[in-house]
Amino acid sequence: MRKFVFDDWNSASSGVTLPATPSTADRAIAAIGTSIVWVSFVFVAFPNLDLMVSRWFVSGGIFILADDPFLREVRDISRLAQPYLIGSMIVLIALQRLPPGRMRFCSPHKPLFVLLSFAAGPLLTVQTLKVLIGRVRPRELVEFGGTMDFTPVWQVSAACSRNCSFPSGEASAAAASLSLLVLVPARFRWAAAIVLVPCLLFVAFNRVIFGAHFLSDVVLGWLLTMFAMAWVWRWMDAYAVSKLWR
């Protein structure tokens, strides 16, 4: 994943800045895919791990931090920021395409990568799996004061038909936000990542604290989105970008 985000960018014959080599994305896909398999194995083999972590935040049958003002503010800010982020990327692309001259604040493929990361992860991957898997949220379980039964990760269930637990959409959106690092100059990218990554991890784990998601929902939501982003990165090779922006 480090190479996926931080590799230098070389210039292609089209004059557009491009990822260093296709093999960088291939290695990222292999590494993230392997992580998804192993993490899934752990949660399937030890399903009580999800319940154990959720119990840390339960007292008297309720998730005691679900109404914490600071945690709710964190969630509200992260959700409200997404439309502005996506809108900003659309504006950046549009400004570079409008006549009479292009306002080139950055290479045009970079905001496109951010947009496609949100489309491939939170929108396509997450929403499809939510419908197919149908996992109920922790706060709806009998163990935590609800009426529904627990199901391990990846187990298909008919208990939930909409707005289901697996995978976490907000954890996915937090992971997709890492795509913003491509907009940061290379010399500042590590420093930006040191600040951004812990913040986004906290945003993702916040959903476990609320009882809205299991730990596996959050971890796999993050990894699945990173996997989708790696495929997007792989697609945006010299041929694709030069065709899109010729």
Side-chain angles (χ1 to χ4, degrees):
M1 200 62 243
R2 179 178 65 84
K3 284 186 173 294
F4 169 57
V5 175
F6 296 105
D7 263 2
D8 290 333
W9 296 62
N10 297 327
S11 294
S13 59
S14 62
V16 180
T17 305
L18 300 169
T21 62
S23 62
T24 299
D26 291 336
R27 289 194 296 271
I29 290 168
I32 301 168
T34 301
S35 299
I36 291 171
V37 171
W38 279 107
V39 169
S40 297
F41 172 78
V42 169
F43 281 106
V44 170
F46 305 100
N48 285 333
L49 181 60
D50 269 330
L51 293 172
M52 180 186 73
V53 173
S54 292
R55 285 193 183 100
W56 293 347
F57 307 103
V58 173
S59 179
I62 62 171
F63 286 86
I64 56 176
L65 295 176
D67 293 320
D68 182 86
F70 171 73
L71 296 179
R72 295 190 72 86
E73 188 69 19
V74 168
R75 190 202 179 200
D76 290 343
I77 290 173
S78 66
R79 295 185 69 183
L80 291 173
Q82 290 176 36
Y84 292 101
L85 187 155
I86 292 170
S88 298
M89 297 303 104
I90 294 173
V91 169
L92 279 178
I93 294 172
L95 287 175
Q96 297 177 76
R97 302 300 295 176
L98 291 176
R102 298 184 182 181
M103 300 177 64
R104 194 170 281 274
F105 296 103
C106 63
S107 299
H109 68 281
K110 293 184 177 182
L112 177 63
F113 174 66
V114 176
L115 288 177
L116 291 177
S117 295
F118 276 88
L123 184 60
L124 181 60
T125 303
V126 168
Q127 296 307 318
T128 299
L129 287 174
K130 279 181 179 290
V131 173
L132 292 177
I133 302 298
R135 192 185 199 189
V136 298
R137 297 176 182 271
R139 60 194 176 203
E140 298 172 336
L141 299 183
V142 172
E143 290 88 341
F144 306 128
T147 60
M148 309 300 291
D149 293 325
F150 171 77
T151 55
V153 69
W154 291 114
Q155 179 175 312
V156 177
S157 171
C160 176
S161 59
R162 61 182 299 273
N163 197 26
C164 304
S165 189
F166 176 78
S168 169
E170 290 180 48
S172 175
S177 298
L178 285 175
S179 61
L180 291 170
L181 289 172
V182 301
L183 300 173
V184 179
R187 65 183 181 276
F188 300 125
R189 204 166 289 159
W190 274 111
I194 290 171
V195 174
L196 186 62
V197 171
C199 293
L200 294 176
L201 287 172
F202 180 72
V203 168
F205 190 72
N206 201 21
R207 304 300 288 147
V208 179
I209 298 173
F210 277 11
H213 288 287
F214 296 103
L215 180 62
S216 58
D217 299 333
V218 168
V219 175
L220 286 169
W222 184 286
L223 288 174
L224 288 166
T225 297
M226 299 301 284
F227 188 76
M229 290 167 64
W231 275 105
V232 171
W233 187 271
R234 186 175 187 271
W235 172 78
M236 294 182 72
D237 58 11
Y239 176 79
V241 176
S242 64
K243 289 296 183 183
L244 282 170
W245 297 100
R246 178 174 294 177

